[in-house]
Amino acid sequence: MSVLRNIERGIEGLVERGFRRAFKSSLQPVELARKLAREMDDHKTVSVSRVYGPNEFHVYLATDDRAAFESYETALTAELETYLEAHAAAAGLSLVARPVVSFETDADLRAGEFGISCRMAEDVPEAPAAPEPDGEAPEIPAPAPAPPPPVAVAAPNRGLAGVSGTQVLTPAAARQGAPALAIVVGGNRHRVAPGVTVLGRSRECDIVVADPNVSRRHAEVRLVGTDWIVTDLGSTNGVEVGGRRVGRHVLEDGEELLLGTARLHVEID
């Protein structure tokens, strides 16, 4: 563990060696290092013969904090990656590739707040080398656009399109006999109306979940027949029900949803 302590001192030294005057945030780099290590431990994957840790980390910072890091972000990123590599070795975790840390600005965060998302990722192929003078640049095909998430669409006088073989009624029909749904977030009870209700960190969502680990548009809830369905909208940290990650799930009374680190309680009458 002395190796990790030495690296931590090096991370702290980045601020001491000339950046203290520019660093006005209450967020200290060594806090990020320790939190990244905890995220690596919390999101490990047990394989047949090894335990793997995530190696790709995205750190979301408030606007002021990102500006404070700007003058030495490259050096800090390298220090954090070295720290994570040493932590994985000390904890007995295998990595599919060397750790990579990147920073992003999130205007919804306040100074001192930050969020982290992580995953396992193979090495990314290096970009083609720049052409020699008078040479022609290699043609790089544009990546194919990602397919949009499945969305139920309205069909006049026939209800909505079927989802996974389940009959979907029109909104008018769905209201008749459909159970009432409420979602409790941080002690606040939100009644959910028939239609589509979006949950996420953005203030534009129908139900705002103020957690830095929640995506801006994290999940949606809609009435399908007489069932309430929660669907992950391609969020970074996913949706969990009963400790299991789900893409689409029929809600039941008393269940607990986990969005990022936010716990939401389901009440169905």
Side-chain angles (χ1 to χ4, degrees):
M1 297 301 289
S2 61
V3 174
L4 295 176
R5 284 196 294 271
N6 289 338
I7 299 175
E8 283 185 4
R9 284 195 289 268
I11 293 172
E12 291 172 328
L14 286 174
V15 181
E16 299 293 343
R17 294 194 300 270
F19 301 109
R20 176 66 71 182
R21 286 191 298 272
F23 194 79
K24 299 177 182 179
S25 169
S26 59
L27 178 62
Q28 297 297 319
V30 73
E31 292 181 55
L32 292 177
R34 292 167 182 163
K35 179 59 176 174
L36 284 165
R38 286 197 295 272
E39 290 295 308
M40 177 179 280
D41 292 337
D42 291 344
H43 292 85
K44 60 189 176 186
T45 301
V46 180
S47 182
V48 176
S49 58
R50 295 184 181 183
V51 179
Y52 289 94
N55 62 300
E56 183 177 284
F57 298 83
H58 297 280
V59 181
Y60 301 90
L61 300 173
T63 303
D64 291 344
D65 289 335
R66 182 72 186 280
F69 287 136
E70 185 177 7
S71 60
Y72 60 106
E73 186 173 299
T74 301
L76 176 58
T77 298
E79 290 276 7
L80 291 173
E81 291 170 351
T82 301
Y83 181 82
L84 288 170
E85 191 169 31
H87 175 79
L93 298 175
S94 298
L95 301 176
V96 297
R98 192 176 188 277
V100 175
V101 177
S102 63
F103 291 104
E104 296 185 32
T105 302
D106 190 328
D108 288 339
L109 297 177
R110 293 173 294 185
E113 293 182 341
F114 62 93
I116 297 174
S117 64
C118 60
R119 69 185 185 111
M120 281 197 299
E122 299 281 357
D123 272 324
V124 179
E126 294 185 2
E132 296 293 331
D134 300 327
E136 294 185 0
E139 183 178 351
I140 303 174
V151 177
V153 295
N157 302 321
R158 295 192 301 273
L160 300 179
V163 179
S164 302
T166 302
Q167 182 183 6
V168 184
L169 306 179
T170 61
R175 292 189 185 95
Q176 299 177 4
L181 170 67
I183 295 179
V184 182
V185 184
N188 296 319
R189 192 168 185 269
H190 302 269
R191 275 284 184 183
V192 179
V196 178
T197 298
V198 178
L199 298 84
R201 197 180 68 251
S202 172
R203 296 184 180 90
E204 298 177 358
C205 291
D206 301 298
I207 298 179
V208 178
V209 184
D211 185 314
N213 293 293
V214 171
S215 297
R216 296 177 65 84
R217 289 171 56 87
H218 198 106
E220 71 173 25
V221 174
R222 68 170 69 218
L223 188 62
V224 179
T226 56
D227 290 328
W228 289 99
I229 307 290
V230 61
T231 302
D232 186 358
L233 294 178
S235 64
T236 300
N237 291 318
V239 176
E240 291 187 13
V241 180
R244 181 174 60 91
R245 188 160 179 166
V246 298
R248 185 182 295 254
H249 175 76
V250 179
L251 295 175
E252 297 181 6
D253 183 40
E255 284 186 323
E256 183 177 78
L257 302 179
L258 187 65
L259 276 60
T261 56
R263 298 185 182 277
L264 285 60
H265 296 276
V266 175
E267 297 180 357
I268 299 178
D269 298 333

